[in-house]
Amino acid sequence: MLINWLKERRRREILERPFPEAWVNHLRRNMVHYTFLSGAEQQHLRNLTQVFVEEKDWEGCGGLEIDDEVRVTIAGQACLLLLGLDHVLYRNVGAILVYPSTVLPTSMGYDGQVQRGPMPILGQAVYRGPVILVWDAVKRGGAHPRDGHNVVYHEFAHKLDMLDGTVNGTPPLHTKEQYAKWAAVCTAEFNDLRQRSERGRKTFLDPYGGVNEAEFFAVATEYFFDQPVQMRRGHEALYEVLMSFYNQDPAERERRHRAGG
Ligand SMILES: [Zn+2]
């Protein structure tokens, strides 16, 4: 296809430009997980980031001015999810809207749900629409790599989920067996999370993941990258289905990082 060819050529041109040193510093400072990556992974992430920054439309809202720090920080975190995927660089994301701090959601719920009154949010992935993010939450999530919360991972996980046209907590997988295993493991974990939180018991995942299957996948993705060692220890089956989808092993990466390698 001519369009694809042009796109490929354009991407090659983007990648011929050097990756600015200032951008590396943005990644290091605002995305601590970047420092956990191997040299090859960092290179791959920088390439994805460079194309992502260029191809997406960036819009500052509520007085926020978009600059390289905003673009690179969001692009880097979003692209971490793609490191092991045969991806399409979020072809379902055209624009990213960034607010300085807490925003009220638009009336467009990603799954068509009616919003009950204005409720502050840190981000939103609009189905067939933009990703909306709050800059102070993005920075907070990226700088605290082990608290289980990262709004960029969360919203871009929704976008991966949406790639197959349904928002049901299952991103596009490869084989029938993969779908079967995914459904079995995620259903059990989802029900367990709901039951425990209904009874007021402590849960590993944020109880927000019990709202529906789509939120479950987005929340589980946050923990998979933010608290991988704990997830592997306490929820091994969930860790494994996520690992087989993302084709990454963040727990091993973190272990290596802690060992100083
Ligand atoms: Zn969500």
Side-chain angles (χ1 to χ4, degrees):
M1 295 260 300
L2 184 62
I3 297 286
N4 282 338
W5 182 78
L6 285 171
K7 200 169 196 173
E8 281 312 309
R9 197 179 66 171
R10 175 99 188 92
R11 286 181 175 178
R12 276 201 303 277
E13 284 168 4
I14 293 169
L15 292 176
E16 275 165 18
R17 294 180 219 147
F19 193 90
E21 197 54 36
W23 289 23
V24 178
N25 292 333
H26 295 320
L27 290 176
R28 289 186 167 280
R29 202 170 38 242
N30 295 337
M31 181 189 171
V32 176
H33 287 151
Y34 176 78
T35 65
F36 293 8
L37 303 176
S38 70
E41 286 172 328
Q42 287 184 342
Q43 174 68 53
H44 188 189
L45 189 90
R46 287 196 300 270
N47 288 349
L48 293 171
T49 299
Q50 211 169 359
V51 175
F52 187 101
V53 162
E54 197 71 36
E55 283 188 358
K56 307 301 179 191
D57 290 325
W58 299 86
E59 202 179 314
C61 306
L64 183 107
E65 201 145 325
I66 295 278
D67 59 15
D68 281 352
E69 182 183 7
V70 174
R71 280 187 283 257
V72 169
T73 301
I74 293 170
Q77 294 183 32
C79 290
L80 177 71
L81 275 56
L82 304 181
L83 272 187
L85 295 178
D86 188 14
H87 63 86
V88 283
L89 205 69
Y90 300 108
R91 65 159 186 265
N92 55 351
V93 178
I96 295 127
L97 278 51
V98 192
Y99 286 81
S101 51
T102 308
V103 289
L104 302 177
T106 68
S107 56
M108 307 176 279
Y110 68 82
D111 51 3
Q113 282 177 344
V114 179
Q115 305 279 355
R116 262 183 295 137
M119 214 173 69
I121 56 162
L122 304 177
Q124 190 182 14
V126 181
Y127 186 62
R128 297 204 172 108
V131 169
I132 302 168
L133 292 165
V134 169
W135 176 232
D136 60 8
V138 169
K139 273 208 294 194
R140 205 163 49 237
H144 297 100
R146 294 192 184 100
D147 68 358
H149 294 293
N150 184 300
V151 66
V152 180
Y153 302 162
H154 182 104
E155 302 307 338
F156 280 87
H158 279 315
K159 283 295 185 180
L160 292 176
D161 181 12
M162 292 168 184
L163 276 175
D164 58 8
T166 54
V167 194
N168 58 2
T170 307
L173 304 173
H174 295 297
T175 64
K176 245 183 171 169
E177 291 71 32
Q178 229 182 343
Y179 277 104
K181 181 147 192 231
W182 183 280
V185 170
C186 291
T187 303
E189 289 277 352
F190 174 71
N191 289 336
D192 184 55
L193 177 62
R194 279 177 89 120
Q195 281 164 11
R196 290 179 75 91
S197 59
E198 271 163 22
R199 290 183 198 136
R201 302 204 1 228
K202 202 170 171 296
T203 56
F204 171 63
L205 295 181
D206 190 300
Y208 186 66
V211 167
N212 57 41
E213 288 85 348
E215 293 307 335
F216 179 82
F217 171 58
V219 168
T221 293
E222 291 180 75
Y223 283 78
F224 176 71
F225 287 102
D226 234 32
Q227 297 196 342
V229 175
Q230 295 91 320
M231 183 187 273
R232 189 175 60 179
R233 194 185 305 133
H235 300 260
E236 201 183 354
L238 180 61
Y239 185 81
E240 274 172 8
V241 292
L242 289 169
M243 188 170 74
S244 82
F245 167 63
Y246 281 112
N247 196 21
Q248 297 187 53
D249 189 351
E252 175 55 23
R253 189 182 282 152
E254 188 164 325
R255 193 198 59 73
R256 207 179 48 214
H257 176 77
R258 283 178 176 177

